Amino acid sequence: MAGLTQLTQLDLMDTAVSDLCALAGLTQLTQLSLSGTAVSDLSALAGLTQLTQLYLMDTSVSDLSALAGLTQLTQLDLSGTAVSDLSALAGLTQLTQLYLSRYVRQRSERFGRAA
Protein backbone atom coordinates (compact mmCIF):
# COMPACT_ATOMS: atom_id res chain seq x y z
CA MET A 1 0.00 0.00 0.00
CA ALA A 2 3.05 2.25 0.22
CA GLY A 3 2.50 3.51 -3.34
CA LEU A 4 -1.12 4.54 -2.75
CA THR A 5 -0.26 7.82 -1.06
CA GLN A 6 -3.15 9.74 -2.68
CA LEU A 7 -5.81 7.24 -1.54
CA THR A 8 -8.68 9.01 0.25
CA GLN A 9 -11.10 6.14 0.96
CA LEU A 10 -10.34 2.58 2.06
CA ASP A 11 -12.85 -0.10 3.02
CA LEU A 12 -11.35 -3.17 4.70
CA MET A 13 -14.61 -4.26 6.33
CA ASP A 14 -14.84 -7.98 7.15
CA THR A 15 -11.32 -8.76 5.94
CA ALA A 16 -8.55 -10.64 7.76
CA VAL A 17 -6.67 -7.42 8.55
CA SER A 18 -5.23 -7.21 12.06
CA ASP A 19 -2.04 -5.15 11.63
CA LEU A 20 -2.47 -1.54 10.51
CA CYS A 21 1.22 -0.64 10.06
CA ALA A 22 0.84 -0.65 6.26
CA LEU A 23 -1.73 2.15 6.54
CA ALA A 24 0.54 4.60 8.39
CA GLY A 25 1.76 6.23 5.16
CA LEU A 26 -1.73 6.80 3.74
CA THR A 27 -1.88 10.34 5.06
CA GLN A 28 -4.53 11.51 2.57
CA LEU A 29 -7.16 9.06 3.85
CA THR A 30 -10.41 10.73 4.82
CA GLN A 31 -12.56 7.59 5.19
CA LEU A 32 -11.49 4.27 6.66
CA SER A 33 -13.62 1.25 7.48
CA LEU A 34 -12.12 -1.48 9.64
CA SER A 35 -15.43 -2.88 10.86
CA GLY A 36 -15.53 -6.62 11.38
CA THR A 37 -11.75 -7.04 11.32
CA ALA A 38 -9.38 -8.45 13.95
CA VAL A 39 -7.88 -4.99 14.58
CA SER A 40 -7.12 -4.13 18.20
CA ASP A 41 -4.16 -1.70 18.05
CA LEU A 42 -4.88 1.70 16.50
CA SER A 43 -1.44 3.26 17.01
CA ALA A 44 -0.64 3.17 13.26
CA LEU A 45 -3.58 5.52 12.65
CA ALA A 46 -2.22 8.35 14.80
CA GLY A 47 -0.68 10.14 11.81
CA LEU A 48 -3.76 9.95 9.59
CA THR A 49 -4.83 13.46 10.52
CA GLN A 50 -7.07 13.93 7.46
CA LEU A 51 -9.50 11.20 8.57
CA THR A 52 -13.06 12.45 8.84
CA GLN A 53 -14.81 9.07 9.04
CA LEU A 54 -13.58 6.02 10.93
CA TYR A 55 -15.58 2.83 11.34
CA LEU A 56 -14.40 0.35 13.99
CA MET A 57 -17.64 -1.57 14.58
CA ASP A 58 -17.21 -5.15 15.83
CA THR A 59 -13.45 -4.99 16.31
CA SER A 60 -11.31 -5.83 19.35
CA VAL A 61 -10.39 -2.17 19.87
CA SER A 62 -10.35 -1.08 23.51
CA ASP A 63 -7.81 1.77 23.63
CA LEU A 64 -8.64 4.99 21.77
CA SER A 65 -5.57 7.01 22.75
CA ALA A 66 -4.16 6.88 19.19
CA LEU A 67 -7.23 8.79 17.98
CA ALA A 68 -6.68 11.83 20.21
CA GLY A 69 -4.90 13.78 17.47
CA LEU A 70 -7.39 13.01 14.70
CA THR A 71 -9.09 16.37 15.08
CA GLN A 72 -10.83 16.25 11.68
CA LEU A 73 -12.99 13.25 12.65
CA THR A 74 -16.68 13.93 12.19
CA GLN A 75 -17.96 10.31 12.33
CA LEU A 76 -16.74 7.52 14.56
CA ASP A 77 -18.39 4.12 14.96
CA LEU A 78 -17.39 2.17 18.07
CA SER A 79 -20.42 -0.13 18.11
CA GLY A 80 -19.69 -3.57 19.46
CA THR A 81 -16.15 -2.76 20.61
CA ALA A 82 -14.49 -3.30 23.98
CA VAL A 83 -13.95 0.44 24.54
CA SER A 84 -14.65 1.57 28.08
CA ASP A 85 -12.85 4.94 28.24
CA LEU A 86 -13.87 7.70 25.84
CA SER A 87 -11.62 10.39 27.32
CA ALA A 88 -9.28 10.28 24.29
CA LEU A 89 -12.14 11.77 22.26
CA ALA A 90 -12.42 14.92 24.38
CA GLY A 91 -10.42 17.06 21.94
CA LEU A 92 -12.25 15.90 18.82
CA THR A 93 -14.34 19.02 18.50
CA GLN A 94 -15.44 18.29 14.90
CA LEU A 95 -17.05 14.98 15.91
CA THR A 96 -20.75 15.17 15.05
CA GLN A 97 -21.67 11.46 14.93
CA LEU A 98 -20.55 8.90 17.51
CA TYR A 99 -22.00 5.40 17.37
CA LEU A 100 -21.91 3.31 20.55
CA SER A 101 -24.63 0.72 19.98
CA ARG A 102 -24.30 -2.56 21.84
CA TYR A 103 -22.40 -0.74 24.55
CA VAL A 104 -22.62 -2.77 27.77
CA ARG A 105 -24.68 -1.42 30.64
CA GLN A 106 -21.83 -0.63 33.05
CA ARG A 107 -20.21 1.58 30.40
CA SER A 108 -23.47 3.39 29.67
CA GLU A 109 -23.91 4.14 33.36
CA ARG A 110 -20.72 6.19 33.28
CA PHE A 111 -22.60 8.60 31.02
CA GLY A 112 -25.44 8.97 33.51
CA ARG A 113 -28.01 6.63 32.02
CA ALA A 114 -28.66 2.92 32.06
CA ALA A 115 -28.61 0.93 28.83
Side-chain angles (χ1 to χ4, degrees), residues 16-38:
V17 170
S18 60
D19 183 352
L20 300 179
C21 290
L23 304 183
L26 303 179
T27 57
Q28 298 302 309
L29 276 182
T30 58
Q31 298 178 26
L32 178 59
S33 177
L34 298 168
S35 296
T37 64

Side-chain angles (χ1 to χ4, degrees), residues 72-86:
Q72 299 302 309
L73 273 181
T74 59
Q75 295 181 20
L76 179 59
D77 190 343
L78 298 172
S79 302
T81 64
V83 172
S84 61
D85 181 4
L86 298 175

Side-chain angles (χ1 to χ4, degrees), residues 16-115:
V17 170
S18 60
D19 183 352
L20 300 179
C21 290
L23 304 183
L26 303 179
T27 57
Q28 298 302 309
L29 276 182
T30 58
Q31 298 178 26
L32 178 59
S33 177
L34 298 168
S35 296
T37 64
V39 168
S40 61
D41 180 7
L42 299 177
S43 58
L45 303 184
L48 304 183
T49 58
Q50 299 302 309
L51 275 179
T52 59
Q53 299 175 27
L54 180 58
Y55 304 96
L56 299 169
M57 181 175 69
D58 296 326
T59 63
S60 297
V61 170
S62 61
D63 180 7
L64 298 177
S65 58
L67 305 184
L70 303 183
T71 57
Q72 299 302 309
L73 273 181
T74 59
Q75 295 181 20
L76 179 59
D77 190 343
L78 298 172
S79 302
T81 64
V83 172
S84 61
D85 181 4
L86 298 175
S87 62
L89 307 181
L92 303 184
T93 59
Q94 300 299 311
L95 199 60
T96 58
Q97 297 178 33
L98 177 61
Y99 301 98
L100 298 169
S101 60
R102 294 188 319 272
Y103 216 56
V104 298
R105 182 181 180 142
Q106 68 187 56
R107 292 183 196 143
S108 297
E109 288 174 349
R110 291 182 187 169
F111 297 104
R113 71 177 228 232

